[in-house]
Amino acid sequence: MNASEPRTLLAVGETMAMIVPSEFTSVVDAATFLVEAGGAESNVATHVASTGHQAVWFSRLGGDPLGHRVAQQLRSRGVDVSTVSWDDARPTGVYVKNPGAGVTYYRRGSAASALSRSDADDIDLAGVDVLHVSGITAAISDTARAFLEQLMRRARTAGVRISFDVNHRLPLWDATTAAPVLLALAQQADTVFTGRDEAEALWATATADDVRALLPDVDELVVKDGDVGATVFTGQERTFVPALVLDVLEPVGAGDAFAGGYLAALLSNAPTRDRLAAGHAFAARTLMSLTDTVEGSYA
């Protein structure tokens, strides 16, 4: 396939209404706030769409004003939200970003937590080149975990490349509970993203090479190491590209940006080193922003 020909990424997982101060100050002291769409998988879709590839996002949203705002924002950023499932009985999840001090979730009982195997069976995988999912979906409810496992099985059967970001979220489940579930999911994927420190907390793997030893059969394993850089293992190949040096405003969302840049380059058939460079470039832009994504094209 020609590298310039648009290809399709399907990103699946919960997106919430993200509330964040419009300036770098605490939630307690802020006078004005932004209400943005925020979710790991839709963030990736937004970044991929910005490069000219086709990006589709699926999840469940509450049939409330926040849900419609989320869908409207993603649509305005070039993401196809036409297959979203609307739930009039459950709300859209919310999270509050406190700049420099982390986030607080309000997502229990959300529309996305009701995702189930039947939702996975209804997803159309025709024409999808890459399915992108994350471990967050497995954490939000038992039915959502079953949904994720079923969708990954269907994608593997259909020959769709599976991209999986480990994305362990400690507020959702502890490392002891999460570790075996996330490892099993990673073993089913073709491309896996994880942070070196995240992997160490989950699986006691101290180095990128240790992570590779734990996941030797993953076709493409990406281990990110913060401001040090990122390493990709493909077969017997090992490729490292250092991170960019910059002043960080807010780190939340940078991992999604890295995955988005990397996957956009993958869809363009770029070499491994260029995929890593694209991941770092996308992450850098987000690290200098208060929101999870940055307006405008990366092309």
Side-chain angles (χ1 to χ4, degrees), residues 43-53 244 246 253-265 274-289 291-294 296-299:
N43 289 345
V44 171
T46 296
H47 290 299
V48 168
S50 74
T51 68
H53 287 293
L244 300 174
L246 65 148
D256 304 331
F258 184 98
Y262 189 96
L263 291 173
D274 291 349
R275 296 177 196 175
L276 283 172
H280 285 316
F282 277 53
R285 286 189 60 174
T286 302
L287 285 165
M288 295 184 288
S289 168
T291 60
D292 285 3
T293 57
V294 180
S297 173
Y298 288 78

Side-chain angles (χ1 to χ4, degrees), residues 30-291:
T32 58
F33 293 82
L34 302 173
V35 182
E36 297 279 336
E41 300 83 6
S42 64
N43 289 345
V44 171
T46 296
H47 290 299
V48 168
S50 74
T51 68
H53 287 293
Q54 297 170 355
V56 182
W57 172 72
F58 172 81
S59 187
R60 296 172 67 92
L61 286 172
D64 47 39
L66 287 178
H68 287 284
R69 181 180 178 89
V70 165
Q72 177 179 282
Q73 287 184 334
L74 294 176
R75 189 183 303 111
S76 73
R77 293 165 187 166
V79 177
D80 182 345
V81 297
S82 61
T83 62
V84 165
S85 179
W86 295 95
D87 188 332
D88 291 328
R90 300 175 181 86
T92 302
V94 175
Y95 79 97
V96 179
K97 181 186 284 191
N98 196 14
V103 301
T104 303
Y105 296 118
Y106 302 90
R107 68 199 306 174
R108 188 181 301 276
S110 69
S113 71
L115 285 164
S116 66
R117 284 177 58 100
S118 62
D119 291 303
D121 289 334
D122 290 341
I123 292 176
D124 185 3
L125 295 173
V128 174
D129 296 290
V130 175
L131 167 69
H132 180 71
V133 293
S134 90
I136 296 172
T137 302
I140 60 176
S141 71
D142 290 342
T143 62
R145 186 182 309 175
F147 160 84
L148 179 59
E149 292 168 344
Q150 174 67 359
L151 180 58
M152 292 177 73
R153 280 193 292 267
R154 285 195 59 222
R156 181 165 290 280
T157 300
V160 174
R161 187 173 191 86
I162 301 170
S163 166
F164 176 72
D165 194 333
V166 172
N167 260 340
H168 176 226
R169 293 291 187 265
L170 194 56
L172 298 178
W173 52 351
D174 61 69
T176 301
T177 304
V181 177
L182 294 174
L183 181 60
L185 291 168
Q187 289 168 335
Q188 299 304 309
D190 302 292
T191 298
V192 173
F193 297 93
T194 189
R196 187 206 56 76
D197 55 347
E198 171 183 58
E200 184 171 13
L202 287 167
W203 307 309
T205 50
T207 68
D209 294 284
D210 291 339
V211 183
R212 183 52 165 174
L214 183 68
L215 292 165
D217 299 323
V218 171
D219 183 58
E220 186 174 36
L221 174 64
V222 185
V223 182
K224 302 167 290 177
D225 194 4
D227 59 4
V228 176
T231 303
V232 176
F233 297 91
T234 51
Q236 300 301 311
E237 298 290 325
R238 183 188 195 279
T239 306
F240 172 81
V241 172
L244 300 174
V245 178
L246 65 148
D247 294 325
V248 175
L249 180 64
E250 169 56 55
V252 176
D256 304 331
F258 184 98
Y262 189 96
L263 291 173
L266 172 68
L267 289 166
S268 295
N269 298 321
T272 302
R273 186 168 295 275
D274 291 349
R275 296 177 196 175
L276 283 172
H280 285 316
F282 277 53
R285 286 189 60 174
T286 302
L287 285 165
M288 295 184 288
S289 168
L290 286 175
T291 60

